[in-house]
Amino acid sequence: MLRERLLEAVAAGGPRAGLRVLETALTDRARRPLEPDPAVRLAAALLDRGTPVGEVADRLGWTARRLARGCAEHLGFLPKRYARIRRFQRLLGHVNAGHGPPDWALLAANCGYHDQAHLIHEFRAFAGITPTAYAPRSPHERNHVPLGG
C-alpha cells in the first residue's frame, strides 16, 4: 500500500511529493503505541509455550485470520512462523546449555517437535545444517547459528 502511494505521489508531484508521503507514513507509524496489544502479548506467551495456533485463537476468542493479522502487525511474523522460531530457540537453549552431547530424540520430545525427523527438518530449514553439524559459537550468542560448510 505504501509503495503504491509513493509511486503515485512521485509520478504526480516528483520526489518531494514522495518524501512527503513517506514522512507522513513514518510519523503515523511512530504515533502507534510501542507496546503490543495485550491479547497479542498473551498469544505470544502461549505460542512460546508451544500452544497450538488454533487453541491460541480459541482462547482469545479470535478467528485465525484476526490472530494472524495481530501477530504479523505486532510480532512481525505469522503465528505459525513465530511458534516455529520460538521452538527452535528453545531447542538451541537446551543444546547450548552444555550438558554433554545432545540426545536429539529427547530434545525433540521436550521442545515440542513431533519426532526427531521433524526436529532435523526444522533445524535444516532454519540453520542450513544438520543438528549434529551444529556447534555453538559462544554461550553469549545463543541464537547464533554458524554457516555450515
Side-chain angles (χ1 to χ4, degrees):
M1 292 189 337
L2 175 59
R3 181 180 184 274
E4 288 78 22
R5 290 193 328 248
L6 282 170
L7 291 173
E8 288 175 18
V10 170
R16 288 194 188 275
L19 285 173
R20 283 192 298 275
V21 168
L22 182 59
E23 180 182 24
T24 300
L26 291 173
T27 302
D28 290 346
R29 188 168 191 98
R31 287 187 184 133
R32 290 188 331 186
L34 296 177
E35 289 295 315
D37 178 318
V40 175
R41 182 179 288 170
L42 174 60
L46 292 169
L47 292 168
D48 284 351
R49 290 193 293 259
T51 306
V53 173
E55 187 177 321
V56 171
D58 289 344
R59 287 182 64 177
L60 294 175
W62 285 6
T63 64
R65 181 176 285 161
R66 183 172 177 196
L67 177 63
R69 199 171 38 247
C71 287
E73 182 178 336
H74 292 280
L75 302 175
F77 297 102
L78 293 174
K80 286 185 181 181
R81 181 74 159 172
Y82 179 79
R84 287 177 61 210
I85 291 168
R86 294 298 294 140
R87 180 175 55 209
F88 184 66
Q89 288 176 321
R90 282 194 306 275
L91 173 67
L92 290 179
H94 287 293
V95 172
N96 293 339
H99 302 297
D103 178 342
W104 295 107
L106 181 61
L107 284 172
N110 289 343
C111 293
Y113 293 93
H114 298 296
D115 53 26
Q116 188 173 348
H118 181 213
L119 179 150
I120 292 167
H121 176 77
E122 290 263 311
F123 206 103
R124 279 189 180 135
F126 282 118
I129 57 176
T130 63
T132 55
Y134 172 70
R137 183 161 135 178
S138 91
H140 305 291
E141 297 172 296
R142 62 187 184 99
N143 287 322
H144 176 79
V145 179
L147 295 176

